Amino acid sequence: MTDRTKIAPKTSRHAVVTPPPTSAADTALPTGGSSASASGPSFSPLYQQIKALILRSLQSGEWRPGEAIPSEIELAARFKVSQGTVRKAVDELAAENLLTRRQGKGTFVATHAEEQVQYRFLRLMPDQPDADPSGSKREFLDCRRLRAPADVARALHLKPGDMVVEIRRVLHFSGRPVVFDDIWLPGRLFKGLTADRLSEYRGPMYGLFESEFGVRMIRAEEKLRAVTADADIAQALQVPVGAPLLSVERLSLTYGDQPVELRRGLYCTERHYYRNELS
């Protein structure tokens, strides 16, 4: 059955502790919930425990995307730890793009609504560095609800036959079609998502998912391979049949490493290249 629309743990009593007089940030203390008691205590540095508690507040929505979190002094008082321990926890969350530091203003929950994250995980760069980024355009070809194919259900940790939303779109850069995306989303998390809502929303698509559906993409895993264009893709990307393309399959995850998006993109690299930073 399809509905097609086409368009142009609870914290243990050891998790928050009063730091000893010496280097609290380097002290290992037991953490965890009921699972830890079943298999024996686990230990982690104190700043990692504070990081987990801040992450829990982010996941519960205590601080919404774009909002400022309490200062390091306030968090230190709340958790009864040193300010340095809080700073180390916040530094890691900022490095993971979950928090954003703004000089002279404080620390904020990162949000997909910001212009600089228009394409959150896209690593495609133009050969000409001075190419006009304002020339980008999204063309939505299809948005429909259907039963999840077996491979999609498996990737998204769904049951066979669960409903999903499939979106097909083309990204244009500098007036040329460059990326063909086939996107799959869990239907239960995206009730009411339609082609019209996608087309009318002017910000990043992940911003729409975040603000209207409460789903935030935290990180992603990708698989890359070389493929050739079939007739349908060649027409969409305006390349010859058999033209070389870069296939990028991306699984995006939210808090708790829950998969919430499967995206299969085909990239035309005639004037672009895939760039990633390794550290």
Side-chain angles (χ1 to χ4, degrees):
M1 179 180 68
T2 65
D3 177 15
R4 181 183 293 270
T5 305
K6 288 192 174 183
I7 63 167
K10 182 178 179 182
T11 307
S12 75
R13 62 187 180 90
H14 298 293
V16 182
V17 299
T18 301
T22 57
S23 178
D26 295 327
T27 304
L29 296 167
T31 64
S34 58
S35 59
S37 62
S39 58
S42 60
F43 297 88
S44 64
L46 181 57
Y47 82 91
Q48 288 283 357
Q49 299 178 45
I50 302 306
K51 176 184 175 183
L53 293 175
I54 296 174
L55 186 61
R56 189 175 304 168
S57 292
L58 294 173
Q59 184 172 3
S60 69
E62 179 179 349
W63 310 309
R64 306 295 297 172
E67 291 181 353
I69 69 170
S71 69
E72 292 176 359
I73 294 176
E74 292 171 318
L75 290 174
R78 169 175 173 171
F79 297 133
K80 297 181 174 62
V81 297
S82 71
Q83 187 177 346
T85 299
V86 171
R87 182 178 298 115
K88 193 169 183 179
V90 171
D91 283 344
E92 284 206 356
L93 291 169
E96 294 169 6
N97 296 315
L98 299 180
L99 297 176
T100 302
R101 291 189 183 277
R102 296 178 186 169
Q103 187 67 32
K105 295 183 179 180
T107 302
F108 294 77
V109 182
T111 173
H112 292 299
E114 296 176 0
E115 190 63 28
Q116 60 265 36
V117 291
Q118 176 75 252
Y119 301 108
R120 176 67 172 84
F121 299 120
L122 186 64
R123 295 292 180 262
L124 204 63
M125 305 294 293
D127 290 337
Q128 301 298 325
D130 58 347
D132 182 10
S134 63
S136 63
K137 184 185 75 170
R138 299 171 297 182
E139 177 189 1
F140 291 100
L141 306 177
D142 196 10
C143 180
R144 60 175 177 162
R145 298 182 69 89
L146 69 161
R147 302 288 181 184
D151 59 333
V152 173
R154 185 165 51 251
L156 293 176
H157 295 179
L158 302 176
K159 297 178 181 178
D162 279 356
M163 298 300 295
V164 291
V165 177
E166 182 187 16
I167 302 167
R168 290 188 174 186
R169 73 174 186 180
V170 175
L171 298 180
H172 298 252
F173 298 101
S174 299
R176 295 176 176 269
V178 177
V179 178
F180 180 94
D181 275 330
D182 193 8
I183 302 168
W184 301 84
L185 307 166
R188 63 181 176 80
L189 297 179
F190 293 90
K191 295 178 180 178
L193 180 60
T194 64
D196 288 341
R197 293 182 76 178
L198 288 167
S199 297
E200 292 169 359
Y201 190 80
R202 296 307 174 194
M205 190 166 69
Y206 281 177
L208 172 69
F209 295 168
E210 177 184 271
S211 62
E212 298 196 23
F213 298 93
V215 178
R216 174 164 171 74
M217 310 300 181
I218 299 302
R219 68 178 190 89
E221 302 169 355
E222 290 188 336
K223 298 177 183 177
L224 282 67
R225 69 183 72 232
V227 299
T228 57
D230 62 21
D232 291 339
I233 300 302
Q235 181 179 4
L237 293 180
Q238 298 177 18
V239 297
V241 174
L245 300 173
L246 180 65
S247 169
V248 181
E249 180 174 298
R250 179 195 308 159
L251 185 67
S252 298
L253 304 103
T254 189
Y255 297 105
D257 274 352
Q258 176 188 351
V260 286
E261 179 200 46
L262 176 64
R263 182 179 302 216
R264 291 165 174 162
L266 295 171
Y267 297 5
C268 177
T269 57
E270 182 180 358
R271 293 178 175 84
H272 293 75
Y273 62 92
Y274 186 94
R275 180 178 184 272
N276 199 6
E277 295 181 4
L278 305 177
S279 61

